[in-house]
Amino acid sequence: MTTAILSALADEQRGLIEQLKNPSCQTRAGREFWCGELHGHPVVLALSKIGKVAAATTATTLIEAFGVQRIVFTGVAGGLGQGVQVGDVVVATEFLQHDMDASPLFPRYQIPLYERTRFDCDEPLTALLLEAAQACCAGSASELGKNSMNVSYAVHAGLIASGDRFVSEALESLVLQNDLQTGGFVPLAVEMEGAAVAQVCFDYGIPFAAVRTISDRADDQAHVDFPRFVLEVASVYALAIVNALMRTLPKK
Ligand code: ADE
């Protein structure tokens, strides 16, 4: 079974490419796809690019052109939920699009013609990803504790909201959360791609799981130290978590 490891950012992907056995690279749709093996698993590594459409193109190409049978997504996100702090890790159980609004034709947040608002992540794959994240983040002695930004390590699991906006104002974050809460949704984090990939995987009936490191609190400080955080923290997390997952992932 070929597994796609989808990364949001090049810094996160670099360590994985370096570890790839028998690497080969192909270009499709203006994207590089790295094929090879990780821990004995056939894998394809790809960058989602930024935003829902770009991520959907990458996911569709992974499935249609490279025949991947499951997708694991790593990246960063802004923390929304209470207690979801910078440096924490959120494993997604489901995704919604916070910028989907076809009202009054369809209820706000509902994906037209799907009769659903949320797309579930695959339960068994998500359970393994959660275990991998917990194993990596446990204890101050972990490799992850040695980053220079001195961040925390809690692991959360729950709903993530995606949309084509980098949420970078406290007020915007508050409005987003209030609106979602009115609709009955309490997301732990916000990012820009996951719900699109979840929808593509739903369309093709393939398992999907996603993990996001919290890089900011989706407020006025959201952009501060973002590149440094990605390089020094999120990339280290992503590599460690993917390695831990690949060690426990069934081969079939
Ligand atoms: N990814 C990381 N931080 C984010 C934010 N504040 N908004 C949207 N996507 C993000």
Side-chain angles (χ1 to χ4, degrees):
M1 182 184 268
T2 303
T3 305
I5 311 290
L6 195 50
S7 309
L9 301 155
D11 285 329
E12 283 178 69
Q13 196 195 36
R14 200 160 297 121
L16 291 171
I17 294 175
E18 282 166 13
Q19 283 186 13
L20 206 55
K21 296 256 160 50
N22 305 317
S24 66
C25 184
Q26 294 180 43
T27 302
R28 290 263 179 137
R31 290 147 167 79
E32 287 187 347
F33 294 86
W34 285 89
C35 303
E37 280 169 38
L38 276 182
H39 300 276
H41 293 275
V43 295
V44 184
L45 312 179
L47 287 179
S48 61
K49 299 204 169 188
I50 310 290
K52 300 199 303 291
V53 174
T57 299
T58 307
T60 305
T61 308
L62 279 165
I63 297 166
E64 286 284 0
F66 294 89
V68 305
Q69 289 137 309
R70 57 189 167 202
I71 295 183
V72 177
F73 196 177
T74 73
V76 292
L80 295 180
Q82 266 192 344
V84 181
Q85 301 301 334
V86 172
D88 287 359
V89 169
V90 176
V91 174
T93 55
E94 51 185 1
F95 280 94
L96 68 68
Q97 295 182 29
H98 67 72
D99 54 357
M100 174 57 76
D101 187 356
S103 60
L105 302 179
F106 297 89
R108 189 168 183 191
Y109 305 119
Q110 191 177 104
I111 312 293
L113 312 184
Y114 282 72
E115 290 176 7
R116 60 169 59 233
T117 305
R118 288 168 285 186
F119 290 98
D120 293 330
C121 297
D122 181 68
E123 269 185 35
L125 190 56
T126 297
L128 289 175
L129 188 58
L130 187 58
E131 272 174 34
Q134 282 163 340
C136 289
C137 295
S140 57
S142 81
E143 274 305 300
L144 302 181
K146 293 180 187 154
N147 66 70
S148 60
M149 293 178 85
N150 193 26
V151 292
S152 63
Y153 323 106
V155 179
H156 312 265
L159 173 68
I160 295 183
S162 309
D164 289 324
R165 285 187 74 82
F166 186 83
V167 181
S168 59
E169 286 175 17
L171 183 61
E172 184 187 354
S173 173
L174 215 58
V175 170
L176 186 81
Q177 290 181 74
N178 281 343
D179 287 355
L180 284 165
Q181 203 158 15
T182 303
F185 309 112
V186 184
L188 295 178
V190 62
E191 40 83 301
M192 300 178 69
E193 297 85 16
V197 178
Q199 187 171 340
V200 170
C201 289
F202 174 87
D203 285 340
Y204 283 92
I206 75 161
F208 172 60
V211 59
R212 294 269 173 177
T213 304
I214 301 302
S215 55
D216 56 83
R217 279 289 304 171
D219 58 14
D220 305 63
Q221 264 80 53
H223 62 288
V224 178
D225 277 346
F226 186 84
R228 185 172 161 221
F229 182 90
V230 170
L231 194 65
E232 295 186 12
V233 184
S235 305
V236 181
Y237 275 50
L239 186 60
I241 293 170
V242 169
N243 275 327
L245 174 70
M246 296 316 273
R247 284 190 210 104
T248 58
L249 201 58
K251 294 257 154 60
K252 290 195 185 264

